[in-house]
Amino acid sequence: MSKTFLLITFLLLSCSNIARQPNAKAESLLHFYSDDNYLALFVLVNTNPNRRTDKNYTKDILNFQNKIWAKDKSDYERLLSNFKGPNQLTYLTFKNKYEHDYVNLISSSIVTDEFQVLKKQNDAYKSNIEKMWNDDFSKTEAIVVSLTGLNLDKASDVMITHPGLRNGRELQGQWIEWGGHSDQAYVVTYLWHELLHQYFDRSNLSHSVIELITDNELNKQITGVGYPPFRGHQQLSVIENCLAEDWNSYLVGDSKNIMDFLQTNKSKECGALFEDLNW
């Protein structure tokens, strides 16, 4: 074997490793999963039309719900009577309680042809969301680090629910749930939003700062769409408007330490807004 061949092989392998490094970091921060049992219960509980985000999936969702209503009406009625809203069911409450409570309903649901259609859609959606995250990671990580000064070393697991049903929440630093959105800029922006919750406390002020970082500035740098008006939870916009002047000064400053920014603004005149805000 010639020395020239060995050198070329070494260089190709080295380049290949360099190309994979950003994705290796991306995969170390977010790990994507699906759970058929949870998917079944999640779809069964989300009967409100307002939860549907893509009409291309509506027929298949309704086919599954109607199938289980006809097949296991008593258990399905019991399920719906016990859930007052979609936020009552999370992956944490599911694993701790509801998977056991509704084991028979789940078992009979996941074997139906109608569920297999939803499973196939969800598996494809999971692969697509993971690809979006990995493809944009190098660019977006650099932006988030430049905006915050944080050492991004906290990982999270992401439970993918379904492309046709709205979902997006962070569960006590243990899980992120995601579903119902397929626009790449939107997906990547809000995955960063949910991931950053691990670095902040649970105050309204911290949540508003996360929105300034991700929903607004990160999104602006990805899409070119400026702000205000502020994107995110409408109820938090009053805080974000209060922070706007200091936020703009922070953005043009030489060094970035988002925790210093947060601490400084805890004592501002608009501080009364921060924790009196109910939503």
Side-chain angles (χ1 to χ4, degrees):
M1 186 178 295
S2 70
K3 292 182 178 179
T4 302
F5 176 81
L6 289 173
L7 178 60
I8 292 172
T9 301
F10 172 78
L11 290 173
L12 287 172
L13 288 172
S14 299
C15 291
S16 176
N17 287 335
I18 291 171
R20 285 198 298 267
Q21 284 176 359
N23 283 350
K25 176 69 180 293
E27 292 164 0
S28 73
L29 288 184
L30 291 185
H31 313 112
F32 294 84
Y33 298 92
S34 60
D35 182 323
D36 289 352
N37 289 351
Y38 184 57
L39 175 63
L41 213 63
F42 182 83
V43 175
L44 290 175
V45 165
N46 279 277
T47 57
N48 190 325
N50 292 332
R51 303 293 297 176
R52 300 178 204 141
T53 58
D54 189 332
K55 63 182 180 181
N56 293 317
Y57 298 107
T58 297
K59 180 179 178 181
D60 295 327
I61 290 169
L62 291 177
N63 282 347
F64 174 61
Q65 292 171 341
N66 290 335
K67 174 73 173 186
I68 304 308
W69 183 261
K71 184 171 179 284
D72 297 298
K73 183 177 180 180
S74 177
D75 283 345
Y76 198 179
E77 282 184 323
R78 181 169 65 91
L79 173 69
L80 294 180
S81 68
N82 287 336
F83 284 88
K84 307 308 179 185
N87 291 332
Q88 188 176 343
L89 176 66
T90 72
Y91 193 58
L92 296 182
T93 61
F94 173 76
K95 296 305 290 184
N96 290 333
K97 177 175 173 58
Y98 298 124
E99 186 173 29
H100 175 267
D101 289 353
Y102 296 99
V103 61
N104 292 333
L105 178 63
I106 293 168
S107 298
S108 66
S109 297
I110 62 175
V111 297
T112 63
D113 291 341
E114 290 78 5
F115 176 78
Q116 294 304 313
V117 171
L118 300 181
K119 171 181 166 55
K120 183 176 180 180
Q121 293 166 349
N122 198 51
D123 289 345
Y125 181 60
K126 171 180 168 291
S127 296
N128 192 30
I129 296 299
E130 188 168 9
K131 183 177 186 303
M132 289 180 186
W133 172 255
N134 290 337
D135 286 351
D136 276 3
F137 182 79
S138 295
K139 175 182 177 180
T140 56
E141 182 201 29
I143 294 171
V144 172
V145 169
S146 72
L147 290 173
T148 65
L150 292 172
N151 177 27
L152 299 172
D153 59 355
K154 297 182 180 181
S156 187
D157 295 326
V158 183
M159 179 57 58
I160 301 297
T161 48
H162 191 270
L165 289 170
R166 190 184 317 281
N167 200 4
R169 52 191 171 181
E170 185 264 352
L171 307 176
Q172 303 173 19
Q174 299 180 52
W175 284 92
I176 294 169
E177 290 190 23
W178 189 260
H181 302 283
S182 299
D183 175 77
Q184 183 153 345
Y186 186 95
V187 167
V188 172
T189 293
Y190 285 97
L191 286 176
W192 275 113
H193 174 130
E194 305 301 350
L195 182 60
L196 285 186
H197 273 293
Q198 293 198 58
Y199 296 84
F200 294 83
D201 62 31
R202 300 285 159 170
S203 67
N204 288 323
L205 174 60
S206 290
H207 200 170
S208 300
V209 170
I210 290 171
E211 288 196 347
L212 290 174
I213 298 164
T214 56
D215 306 34
N216 293 281
E217 186 62 27
L218 174 61
N219 184 272
K220 174 186 173 181
Q221 294 194 36
I222 294 174
T223 66
V225 179
Y227 62 93
F230 293 101
R231 289 176 287 271
H233 294 288
Q234 184 178 358
Q235 299 91 331
L236 294 178
S237 63
V238 62
I239 299 178
E240 289 153 11
N241 279 299
C242 183
L243 295 173
E245 184 176 351
D246 285 347
W247 176 247
N248 290 331
S249 297
Y250 174 83
L251 289 177
V252 299
D254 293 332
S255 61
K256 300 291 189 295
N257 185 319
I258 199 63
M259 294 307 171
D260 285 350
F261 175 83
L262 184 64
Q263 189 63 37
T264 298
N265 278 282
K266 284 184 177 180
S267 59
K268 292 289 184 179
E269 291 182 2
C270 52
L273 297 171
F274 295 154
E275 296 318 311
D276 292 339
L277 184 66
N278 296 314
W279 58 284

